[in-house]
Amino acid sequence: MLRHKLIHPQISSILAASGHHSTILIADGNYPAASKRGPRAELVSLNLMPGVPTCNQVLEAVLSAIPVEAIQTMKTETEGPYALDGDPPVWDDYRATIKAEGLDLELEPIEKWDFYKAVSTEDHVLTIQTADQQRYANILLSVGVRM
């Protein structure tokens, strides 16, 4: 019987088999998960209906189960139809979740195409596709070590 919040059997199995520096993508509902992932990464689709579940809900569950040493987000665009002034609201949710888990980590925004490259590596073991509709909700976790 598991004692942490994460109870999804397939996700738990993949996380248990991952190691230091493995990456896990929690993808929003607009992320091209079929084409933008590592060559060995497994895809778990949790997108039930628009907005359910959110990336932050999945983040909370995953952080309860594994050590994380870095968290990257897709940097917002400053021009065009998807441009934002400042951080997306969802990033504040992430910061609160990270703090509630007792982690001293900062979000590390990286350019969109660099984010896709980071996800497409051999270290990428899992994409969890959510139905989150918020812009720039994609989040890439790097697995740490048990201390």
Side-chain angles (χ1 to χ4, degrees):
M1 184 61 65
L2 300 174
R3 295 179 57 121
H4 47 71
K5 295 176 185 177
L6 179 65
I7 61 171
H8 191 282
Q10 185 182 7
I11 294 172
S12 293
S13 174
I14 296 165
L15 294 179
S18 68
H20 190 214
H21 300 299
S22 294
T23 61
I24 292 101
L25 172 64
I26 302 172
D28 64 30
N30 295 307
Y31 187 85
S35 61
K36 299 288 187 204
R37 65 177 192 242
R40 294 180 293 180
E42 295 190 52
L43 173 61
V44 175
S45 298
L46 296 182
N47 42 346
L48 180 63
M49 62 184 192
V52 179
T54 66
C55 290
N56 194 53
Q57 289 169 325
V58 173
L59 177 65
E60 181 181 349
V62 170
L63 289 181
S64 78
I66 61 167
V68 172
E69 66 182 15
I71 302 176
Q72 296 176 313
T73 57
M74 187 181 289
K75 193 172 185 177
T76 61
E77 295 178 15
T78 56
E79 297 178 348
Y82 309 116
L84 291 178
D85 291 330
D87 291 347
V90 69
W91 291 7
D92 289 333
D93 297 338
Y94 293 159
R95 290 179 182 109
T97 298
I98 292 163
K99 183 178 181 181
E101 194 58 38
L103 299 174
D104 185 24
L105 294 173
E106 297 291 325
L107 299 178
E108 302 170 25
I110 58 175
E111 296 290 337
K112 176 182 179 177
W113 299 109
D114 291 335
F115 188 89
Y116 287 144
K117 285 179 191 174
V119 171
S120 299
T121 69
E122 294 284 328
D123 289 330
H124 181 222
V125 296
L126 173 64
T127 292
I128 304 170
Q129 180 82 65
T130 72
D132 204 323
Q133 299 299 294
Q134 299 178 83
R135 289 186 289 169
Y136 302 102
N138 301 305
I139 189 165
L140 185 63
L141 312 175
S142 294
V143 176
V145 296
R146 287 183 73 161
M147 304 280 250

